[in-house]
Amino acid sequence: MFAGSLASADIVSDICRYGTSSPSFDGVLHSLRDLQSSPRVTLSNLGVSRQGRPLPLLIVHDPAVPLAGTVRLFIVARQHGTEASGTVACLALARHFAKARGEEEQTLLRQLSLLMVPVANPDGMCAGRRANGGGADLNRHWGGSGEPEIRAIKAAVRQHQPHALIDMHELPAGSGKPSFRDNFIQTIGRDGALSADLTTDCAATSARLASWMSQCGLPLSVYYDGANESLNLCHRYFGLGAGIPSYLFEAKCGSGRPLAERVRFHVLGTLV
């Protein structure tokens, strides 16, 4: 119902006006502290990174409705320190919904809570590199428990029991791999070894995502995982391992794909 009002209300553009630049990690922390003035915002730290930086968790919801009484969408952004658009999209979503007075937004927040980790890899962000402070590519280690960032996010997901999860990324600017030539979403495909409820949910949602991305002029491919895939990727760990409908969002970067477009991809996908 909410997705049907996106175009007429131009909510995507309203949100994306907050997503025109990429702040430093200190700038992210400053923005998060500013958002705490809204009664809709709860800010906490999940723990610390390999090098001791905080791992903020930002929750946006209607304070009149118990968090447990809402649909909870958990978003992980910037596992790779150089991928800015997920962080910017999280901040833009938070800024908009923290103070929006529109009927659509208020209706949505009575039903849905956004739980966001805007920077899952602060060490990589501060160093301008993909890996974390220990040299690990976080999105290759979810099947284990060696990285503190991963342990902290797993604990938060266990605590809040989200109904769905998004892992926001960017695609390399140049790649010969066919699946890397454009934006894509990867989720759990139909497989007799998996819960029918899980796979039906993921199939229906990915179809809506593809439809809305097409209507909004954003190219999109959709890929599916089966039951036998490795659990080392975040969306597979929570989707295949924990049974949570989970989606890997990959926004193409590089020439002709400015930050604003990549942020728009993540914002629209989150709303749908």
Side-chain angles (χ1 to χ4, degrees), residues 21-36:
S21 61
S22 177
S24 66
F25 183 62
D26 285 343
V28 170
L29 297 180
H30 178 76
S31 295
L32 295 178
R33 288 191 292 268
D34 281 350
L35 287 167
Q36 286 185 283

Side-chain angles (χ1 to χ4, degrees), residues 14 54 62 65 78-79 96 109 118 120 131 146 172 175 185 204 231 250 266:
D14 287 346
D62 185 336
V65 182
R78 211 165 192 151
Q79 285 197 69
H96 181 78
L109 287 176
S175 175
I185 288 169
L231 301 186
E250 290 275 10
H266 287 309

